[in-house]
Amino acid sequence: MKQEKIRLLFVCLGNICRSPSAEAIIKKLVQDAGLESRIDIDSAGILGYHEGELPDSRMWMHGSRRGYVLDSRSRPVKTSDFYTFDMIIGMDDRNMDDLRRKAPDMESVAKLHKMTDFLENKLYDHVPDPYYGGASGFKLVLDLLEEACQGLLDTISSISDN
């Protein structure tokens, strides 16, 4: 029996810092684990004001220093995403509230997850937006996303193994 792909969508406010970073990190983890044929990955923003833009240059710089390729183009969340993706993962409570409002039905709401739910170390209850901060904010976001993406991949792997 052929297993269907698991489709993941990462969401932040503008889709230029946190969600494209999560996308890049999980893509690398998936590639390193040889799971590219089993997992599809994308990212989007609650708002579309950065639509078509590449990730923030500061986020790109910090991510590339860690070996990540942040090359996705910003796009807004669409209603069709709730039907296309198996898991839609928001970065903070505001993202989660906005996603719940955008969800077309209760089945879609059930697909929503918060990124920090996949952290082993529960010191943070959200992934902070680094946009208006300095270098330490971008580094913190990458630290949190690296841990959460590994936790997410472990969760997906345990589900797939059953």
Side-chain angles (χ1 to χ4, degrees), residues 11-15 18 44-50 77 82 88-103 112-116 125-129 131-132:
V11 178
C12 68
L13 186 61
N15 192 214
R18 296 171 291 171
I46 296 295
L47 304 173
Y49 52 71
H50 291 292
V77 172
F82 289 93
I88 300 173
I89 304 154
M91 299 295 148
D92 60 33
D93 288 335
R94 181 177 173 193
N95 300 155
M96 296 301 294
D97 289 344
D98 290 338
L99 286 166
R100 278 188 280 277
R101 276 193 290 280
K102 288 177 176 284
L112 301 178
H113 303 272
K114 196 167 160 186
M115 192 77 221
T116 51
D125 66 352
H126 69 286
V127 179
D129 190 342
Y131 190 78
Y132 295 105

Side-chain angles (χ1 to χ4, degrees), residues 9-10 16 34 42-43 48 52 78-79 86 94 97 103 124 145:
L9 180 66
F10 296 96
I16 59 167
D42 197 3
S43 64
K78 304 175 292 222
T79 301
D86 301 302
R94 181 177 173 193
D97 289 344
Y124 287 84
L145 291 176

